[in-house]
Amino acid sequence: MLERSMPPATPAARARTRKPYHHGDLRRALIDHAVTTIRRHGVDALTLRSAGSELGVSRTALYRHFADKAALLAAVAIEGFRMLRVELVAAWEAGGQGRPGFERMGAAYIRFAVRNPSHYRVMFGGFVDQRCADPELTRVAAEAFQALVDALQEQQRAGLVRADDPGQLALFVWAAVHGVAMLAIDGQLAAGAKNVDTLTAFAIERLRTGIAADQSRDATRRGRPSGRPDRRVTPNAASRRST
Amino acid sequence: MLERSMPPATPAARARTRKPYHHGDLRRALIDHAVTTIRRHGVDALTLRSAGSELGVSRTALYRHFADKAALLAAVAIEGFRMLRVELVAAWEAGGQGRPGFERMGAAYIRFAVRNPSHYRVMFGGFVDQRCADPELTRVAAEAFQALVDALQEQQRAGLVRADDPGQLALFVWAAVHGVAMLAIDGQLAAGAKNVDTLTAFAIERLRTGIAADQSRDATRRGRPSGRPDRRVTPNAASRRST
DNA sequence: ACCTGAACACCGTTCAAGT
DNA sequence: ACCTGAACACCGTTCAAGT
């Protein structure tokens, strides 16, 4: 009764401490339920009615937290992009950047998709309509993409990656890794993590070769030490991605 | 009346010449309607009821031609894989095989997706459940994939592509080109065919570099002429894809 | 054979009504 | 504020009945 008569001042603080009608944090529970259901039975099996009854609330209670079903899926996608960005940056830095960092980053991308197939499917499955997408979703997606652009630009400065437009390079790398991730979570590869890991390692190595600065030739012809940066790089071209 | 009293002997011939109740070829019309509707309003907008009323038949008439809605989508996917394979092989041969053939093949893949986004989305959107998929769908998908494997193996024999497992190589190449295709048809690229063409050309060139046999070094070190095949190739490893 | 129309068991969403 | 229950306008699918 006391905490009810003295609610916290800010909405954020209130959201953290409120004691709702029937549920602790229905918004959170709805997102978790969506993730679990999609993982177990596919995105078609996610219905608002079953979600409500599963969570012990009415089947319209969800409209207190989300505008509609698409908004619930958008929340899953937003959470996914945030997680993905964190894991990509962590892998890049844990690998000490450079070439091993790039390899770890690629592996981290596939690992994220395999461990969070529900998030990944919603993020890239086209369930959130492009035209009326949540601006927050657009933002976090761009931020995750930017982590890849940043890594490529740093490698360009280190002379590891060829001096093409970093935006183009990033789109290419993302497309390739995304394709492998889809193969992995769609069960198109023979069952078992072994084939996924094998293809992942193979793909990242071929990718790295494909975008590598022409080291062997350059190193031979110009005798430039590998630590010396190649200044033909045009980092500005990457900061604005064509979207 | 005469043709009714003397029906053709085989079911196939009968299907070709029958004069149905209300429609010329309802099966064909349903597939076309599905493709048009998906292109214009997305796959969610495809309902059996609207299809029926649009085509002037009852909303259950479709069950005479398809087991259910998933079977209709499977038919779209099957048609798509057949078309894709034909176009891939045609591009490979029109390019005179080898390196220009490979480049044309990659461009043809993206072009197919851009020109037939409905087919492409159904083929790879996960609408056809993996577990109870039509065996015909599995077959035509494998045949389209095989066109890529064949092209890679021929390039291996010609010393153009490195001597890795052709199945792995094909999975990697397909994943990358698929990712670009998805970007292209999902409107993730800035509008206009120019950006699609630019990214396509860029991706194919980086891909080719990534999977190329180590020509420059080999040619220099071993002095082997480019026409001479590299016999380290293991073509057998590719004929059975891990599925 | 091929098609119909009513019926069944579902959906997402809205909204007046409760506490 | 937050939740409910009835109602609305949809689905895919089944099936006895028509021609």
Side-chain angles (χ1 to χ4, degrees):
Chain A
M1 278 301 163
L2 200 71
E3 60 270 37
R4 270 207 167 284
S5 61
M6 293 177 63
T10 69
R14 182 147 30 86
R16 249 181 276 115
T17 60
R18 69 161 171 236
K19 298 263 189 292
Y21 227 70
H22 279 95
H23 214 281
D25 190 346
L26 185 55
R27 190 189 140 84
R28 182 70 250 159
L30 281 164
I31 293 176
D32 290 341
H33 176 263
V35 170
T36 308
T37 304
I38 293 169
R39 167 178 272 132
R40 284 213 273 257
H41 304 106
V43 74
D44 284 341
L46 176 65
T47 70
L48 303 189
R49 294 162 115 93
S50 68
S53 74
E54 190 91 7
L55 267 44
V57 297
S58 129
R59 59 182 169 276
T60 59
L62 142 155
Y63 289 94
R64 292 296 119 200
H65 301 278
F66 299 100
D68 51 20
K69 191 180 181 180
L72 171 58
L73 290 175
V76 172
I78 288 169
E79 184 173 85
F81 278 114
R82 288 213 181 99
M83 293 160 64
L84 176 60
R85 189 192 139 275
V86 168
E87 293 186 21
L88 289 182
V89 172
W92 168 249
E93 289 172 353
Q97 307 185 343
R99 177 171 158 173
F102 182 71
E103 284 166 2
R104 285 227 215 171
M105 203 175 181
Y109 189 102
I110 310 287
R111 197 183 327 116
F112 170 82
V114 170
R115 288 189 186 168
N116 306 282
S118 304
H119 286 90
Y120 198 84
R121 261 183 238 280
V122 176
M123 288 157 70
F124 297 111
F127 304 112
V128 284
D129 194 284
Q130 303 289 348
R131 280 153 296 191
C132 50
D134 193 322
E136 177 74 3
L137 175 57
T138 311
R139 221 196 71 214
V140 294
E143 284 173 357
F145 182 79
Q146 190 61 39
L148 175 57
V149 175
D150 291 343
L152 287 168
Q153 286 187 280
E154 286 200 45
Q155 287 178 95
Q156 285 181 321
R157 284 190 282 269
L160 292 169
V161 165
R162 44 185 296 127
D164 294 324
D165 170 26
Q168 289 276 94
L169 278 166
L171 280 173
F172 167 64
V173 170
W174 179 78
V177 178
H178 168 69
V180 174
M182 290 302 286
L183 285 173
I185 67 177
D186 265 2
Q188 307 254 25
L189 267 36
K194 188 178 164 294
N195 284 321
V196 173
D197 291 346
T198 304
L199 180 59
T200 298
F202 180 83
I204 293 169
E205 184 53 26
R206 290 302 103 227
L207 220 42
R208 200 194 53 73
T209 305
I211 65 171
D214 218 340
Q215 303 179 311
S216 56
R217 223 178 355 201
D218 284 5
T220 308
R221 287 205 194 137
R222 314 203 309 229
R224 188 165 49 75
S226 63
R228 182 102 163 281
D230 182 347
R231 291 325 275 112
R232 281 178 306 169
V233 174
T234 60
N236 292 348
S239 55
R240 271 309 93 209
R241 180 186 157 212
S242 58
T243 308
Chain B
M1 276 301 165
L2 199 71
E3 62 270 36
R4 269 206 170 285
S5 60
M6 293 176 62
T10 71
R14 184 148 27 88
R16 249 181 279 116
T17 60
R18 73 168 167 228
K19 298 264 188 293
Y21 226 70
H22 279 94
H23 214 280
D25 190 346
L26 185 54
R27 190 189 140 84
R28 183 69 251 162
L30 281 164
I31 294 178
D32 290 341
H33 176 264
V35 169
T36 308
T37 304
I38 295 169
R39 167 178 270 135
R40 284 214 273 257
H41 305 106
V43 73
D44 285 341
L46 176 65
T47 71
L48 303 190
R49 294 163 116 92
S50 67
S53 73
E54 191 90 8
L55 268 44
V57 297
S58 131
R59 59 181 170 278
T60 59
L62 144 154
Y63 289 94
R64 292 295 120 199
H65 300 279
F66 299 101
D68 51 20
K69 190 180 181 179
L72 171 58
L73 290 175
V76 172
I78 288 170
E79 184 174 86
F81 277 114
R82 289 213 181 99
M83 291 160 65
L84 176 60
R85 188 192 139 275
V86 167
E87 294 186 21
L88 290 182
V89 172
W92 167 249
E93 290 173 353
Q97 307 185 342
R99 177 171 159 175
F102 182 71
E103 284 166 3
R104 285 226 215 171
M105 203 175 181
Y109 189 101
I110 310 287
R111 199 182 326 118
F112 171 81
V114 170
R115 289 189 186 168
N116 306 282
S118 304
H119 286 90
Y120 198 84
R121 261 183 237 281
V122 175
M123 287 156 71
F124 298 112
F127 304 112
V128 284
D129 194 284
Q130 304 287 349
R131 281 153 297 192
C132 50
D134 192 323
E136 176 74 2
L137 176 57
T138 312
R139 221 197 71 213
V140 293
E143 284 173 358
F145 183 79
Q146 190 60 41
L148 175 57
V149 175
D150 291 345
L152 287 168
Q153 285 187 282
E154 287 200 44
Q155 288 179 93
Q156 286 181 322
R157 282 191 283 269
L160 293 168
V161 165
R162 43 186 297 127
D164 293 325
D165 171 25
Q168 290 276 93
L169 278 166
L171 279 174
F172 166 64
V173 170
W174 179 79
V177 177
H178 169 69
V180 174
M182 291 300 286
L183 285 172
I185 66 176
D186 266 2
Q188 308 254 25
L189 267 35
K194 190 178 163 294
N195 284 321
V196 173
D197 290 346
T198 304
L199 179 59
T200 298
F202 180 83
I204 292 169
E205 183 53 27
R206 291 302 102 229
L207 220 43
R208 201 194 51 75
T209 305
I211 65 171
D214 219 339
Q215 303 178 310
S216 57
R217 224 177 355 204
D218 284 5
T220 308
R221 285 203 197 140
R222 313 203 308 230
R224 186 165 51 74
S226 62
R228 182 103 162 280
D230 182 345
R231 290 328 274 109
R232 282 177 305 169
V233 175
T234 60
N236 291 349
S239 57
R240 269 310 92 210
R241 183 184 157 213
S242 57
T243 309

